Amino acid sequence: MAPDSPDWTVPAPLRALLWWPGVSFVLVLVAPQAAVGSIVVAGLALMVVGLLAGRLTRAASEGGMVTSDRSELEPAA
């Protein structure tokens, strides 16, 4: 069994797919006759949104826009 890493996070496409059950439920309520197609399209759209969000986050962190140094946020003593 692999040890737990504190730095592990859920990948962005999977995080976006966590919204799929709720979105699917609403789509079935709104248009039950088109449920299958709309659920598939919603899943694909959420996956694309997750991929784009992951790439934007990665690009921002590589470009130096996101800082992991928290010393700037701590109050001066």
Side-chain angles (χ1 to χ4, degrees):
M1 184 174 207
D4 292 335
S5 172
D7 297 331
W8 187 85
T9 59
V10 178
L14 293 178
R15 233 181 4 252
L17 282 176
L18 291 174
W19 287 89
W20 198 11
V23 170
S24 300
F25 180 74
V26 171
L27 289 173
V28 169
L29 289 177
V30 171
Q33 67 279 7
V36 174
S38 62
I39 290 171
V40 170
V41 170
L44 292 173
L46 286 170
M47 189 174 66
V48 169
V49 167
L51 286 170
L52 292 175
R55 287 187 182 180
L56 288 174
T57 303
R58 191 176 309 118
S61 66
E62 289 175 358
M65 287 190 272
V66 176
T67 178
S68 61
D69 184 20
R70 296 196 173 262
S71 63
E72 298 172 352
L73 301 176
E74 295 176 0

